[in-house]
Amino acid sequence: MSQLDSTRKLLGITDTNINIQDVREDFNGKGAGRKKYLVIRAELTYTLTHCPQCGFPDLHKNGHKLTHIHVEGPSDQPVVLELNKQRWRCLNCHTTCTATTPVVKANHSIGNKLAIDALKLASKSLTVKTIALLLGISTNSVQRALDDNIHPHASRKLPENLCFDEFRSTKSAMSFICIDADTHKAVKVLGGRLNKDIKEFFINQYNVAQRAAVKRVVMDMNAAYQLIVHELFPNAEIIIDRFHIVQMIGHAMDQIRVTTLKQLDGKSREYKVLKSLWRLFHLAHPDAKKSRYLFGLNEYSTQQNAIDLGTAVSPIFKTAYETYLAIHEALMDGHPRVLKRLITEYQPTGSVMDTAIATLRKNLSWIINSAKSPYSNGSIEGVNRKIKELKRTCYGFANQANMFVRVYQLIA
């Protein structure tokens, strides 16, 4: 008996109403799925006098119910608790009831500790199949454990500062995500990103006073979102994410750089700088003092000298580079007046930079807000990176509801 009590302690079973009777090894399953289990035979019984349904003291023992419960074991070998539960029958209301234990929920076959282990492994972005193999249970059991313990829901209180973005969910579908810009917690993940779906959610979920309390909405330059922000949040100011602004003008500068290098001799120093050392043109503060060996140019030079060499071949590219550098500095250092002057006083050069500046002028007030405000979409971009890692690790998802359960676990 002492060995059986030690087995109970080893399994972490604290319910003294469970009496372990035998321990054996058994095989279950067919083919490649056949596994060796440690089977623990036990009985669950205790004294119960009053009926849980009607409350009358008319209960009489009515046999046992044999159940098989997967529990957490001391080793990698899966453990099944073959638990014989006491049953009672009420002579007053003619209902039956079965003994319960904190080891497992009623009408469940997965132990509570094993369900917690499944949640912990799921938080590491493991696939459901991998979790099932590690725990010795089925994939459906893992998914049920996730569904029973993770309940995606909208934030009960609407935050004052919001971040909007979208991500690719299942197949080619694009989904909408909104988080709190301060706490980085999820507000809601929607299956679609259409304006009508977003408006329907916020209008139905939050009243007018709650939506009027929103102060800021941070987003990229998605024109569709811009159309509904003030309709949903009348007092909110729109902030365009700084990263997307820098990315847009940086991409325009790169297009001009590529056009310029195609007109040069492939063996010239200028070509080598524009071709191999393109990262130098994205540095906010290039080094003008320390000389170092620059691979690609294959000579010792300062970063600033290499940049001057590359910009000297084309006035259009030089203007684009200086525009990029000035806007980047004004934006990141928080100089809204300088940023406004750079955008409004820009002189067209007949390049793609003209189109980028025209886009900034179209969204000028919201661009200026990005220089004034410390808020950005960095937090929601980090969430999107986690979602991409989850999809990559799990080889994608076929069921959007199952995916959103995993996403909510990451960002709740």
Side-chain angles (χ1 to χ4, degrees), residues 274-294:
L274 294 176
K275 176 70 175 180
S276 302
L277 301 177
W278 59 271
R279 290 182 177 85
L280 294 179
F281 298 98
H282 290 269
L283 293 178
H285 303 287
D287 191 353
K289 297 180 179 180
K290 184 179 179 180
S291 181
R292 66 192 71 189
Y293 189 81
L294 300 179

Side-chain angles (χ1 to χ4, degrees), residues 13 19 27 32 56 65 80 107 143 267 272 287 293 309 328 346 350 365:
I13 298 176
N19 300 313
F27 287 88
F56 277 78
K65 179 181 180 180
V80 173
N107 302 320
Q143 190 60 53
K267 297 181 180 180
K272 293 177 181 179
D287 191 353
Y293 189 81
L309 183 64
H328 183 280
Y346 172 82
S365 60

Side-chain angles (χ1 to χ4, degrees), residues 82-100:
E82 195 176 75
L83 190 60
N84 214 17
K85 296 182 178 180
Q86 179 70 58
R87 288 174 59 85
W88 294 273
R89 181 178 179 83
C90 179
L91 298 181
N92 179 63
C93 62
H94 305 291
T95 60
T96 60
C97 58
T98 307
T100 60

